[in-house]
Amino acid sequence: MKSLGGFATMTASAASNQIGAAVGAHAFATIGPAGVVAVRQFVAAAVLLPMARPNLRRFTWAQWWPTIALGLVFATMNLSLYMAIDRIGLGLAVTLEVLGPLGVALAGSRTRQDFLFVLIAAVGVYVLVLPGPSSDYLGVGLGLLAAGCWAAYILLNRLVGARLPGLQAPAVATAMSATLYVPVAVLLVLHGKLTGMSILYAVGAGVFCSVVPYAVDVIALRKVPARLFGLAMSVHPVLAALAGLVVLGEKLDLHHWAGILLVVTANALAVTCSKWSGSPTVKPEM
């Protein structure tokens, strides 16, 4: 019963994340994906830094370099994902992003069942995109870049988790990422765009995508096994598609839904069957 409650909690967290992304997308026309990412990073940093209280003077180079790399990953991942959402829609972008943790879960595996999962995912991506003259290859490429960043986050998070206690590394990395977006915020303010509903939408994205999921996931991880957490994260593409439909009015064709379900299935099977230890699909809500 406890695991069932934890799974429901994590699903609610995933839903909050995707609703936040959909809310943020309303501000794309005014401040662009970079503007939304900037505000979202500021919100995340404002929440994490007071909680973690990192002592920067005691950081060694062995702790600094993966933290710096993590900050660059946060900055790139969020921007590439939001730009992909702007071009190909929320459901498709998040589905492509999920390929990142799937790749980590299956990395180094040589079993037949894992090759089967890769094949299912590959077919899912093909069905999802249906490559042709009208395909937005830049949007697809941005989604795949976000996937690569998610994979890099997983590997870096394992490293900094062993070298720094608590949330110090994610907090510092988020602050560094937010600093990189200060010029974006300054330009938007100078042009009078970071006002009114645009900033409200962007702050909403920060709250729904960073604050709520972070608080919920920390509680959920105390109650459920890592694999169950990873399984819950597999539903992100479906929830993203639903959020895109309800909040943004994005209607997907049948082949889109088929592709999403194939990728979700491949990821869920990989999480439950792979011999990789850990929590491969824990999403950085930054």
Side-chain angles (χ1 to χ4, degrees):
M1 182 63 71
K2 181 183 287 189
S3 294
L4 182 60
F7 185 85
T9 301
M10 289 182 294
T11 302
S13 169
S16 174
N17 197 352
Q18 302 312 326
I19 290 173
V23 169
H26 279 296
F28 286 172
T30 306
I31 62 176
V36 176
V37 172
V39 175
R40 175 178 166 176
Q41 295 295 83
F42 299 154
V43 172
V47 172
L48 286 178
L49 282 176
M51 296 182 65
R53 296 183 179 181
N55 190 342
L56 302 182
R57 294 181 179 180
R58 294 187 176 182
F59 275 34
T60 65
W61 176 242
Q63 296 169 330
W64 265 118
W65 77 258
T67 302
I68 294 173
L70 197 61
L72 294 175
V73 165
F74 283 155
T76 306
M77 177 178 59
N78 289 320
L79 181 60
S80 58
L81 176 63
Y82 276 43
M83 289 178 67
I85 291 172
D86 191 33
R87 298 185 67 92
I88 62 177
L90 183 58
L92 276 65
V94 172
T95 302
L96 293 172
E97 189 193 27
V98 167
L99 296 175
L102 173 61
V104 173
L106 299 178
S109 176
R110 296 294 184 270
T111 65
R112 291 183 178 179
Q113 71 172 15
D114 288 339
F115 278 118
L116 175 61
F117 301 156
V118 171
L119 179 61
I120 294 173
V123 172
V125 171
Y126 181 85
V127 172
L128 181 72
V129 177
L130 285 184
S134 61
S135 298
D136 190 330
Y137 291 107
L138 178 56
V140 172
L142 289 166
L144 293 176
L145 176 59
C149 289
W150 191 348
Y153 162 81
I154 294 168
L155 300 176
L156 286 170
N157 192 53
R158 292 175 63 191
L159 185 60
V160 296
R163 297 183 180 182
L164 283 167
L167 296 170
Q168 292 190 47
V172 174
T174 303
M176 293 177 61
S177 176
T179 301
L180 293 175
Y181 282 97
V182 168
V184 175
V186 170
L187 287 175
L188 290 173
V189 170
L190 291 176
H191 287 84
K193 293 184 177 182
L194 203 59
T195 57
M197 291 303 297
S198 63
I199 193 170
L200 288 179
Y201 283 134
V203 170
V207 172
F208 282 109
C209 293
S210 299
V211 180
V212 174
Y214 167 75
V216 172
D217 290 348
V218 167
I219 296 173
L221 280 170
R222 297 173 181 172
K223 299 180 179 180
V224 299
R227 286 189 182 275
L228 187 56
F229 186 92
L231 185 61
M233 294 301 98
S234 298
V235 304
H236 270 276
V238 175
L239 294 174
L242 293 175
L245 176 64
V246 175
V247 181
L248 300 175
E250 296 177 351
K251 296 181 179 180
L252 300 181
D253 295 330
L254 182 60
H255 73 90
H256 292 140
W257 284 107
I260 289 172
L261 292 177
L262 283 170
V263 172
V264 167
T265 298
N267 193 65
L269 289 173
V271 169
T272 54
C273 300
S274 175
K275 295 181 180 180
W276 188 86
S277 60
S279 51
T281 53
V282 174
K283 180 70 163 66
E285 312 296 356
M286 308 302 175

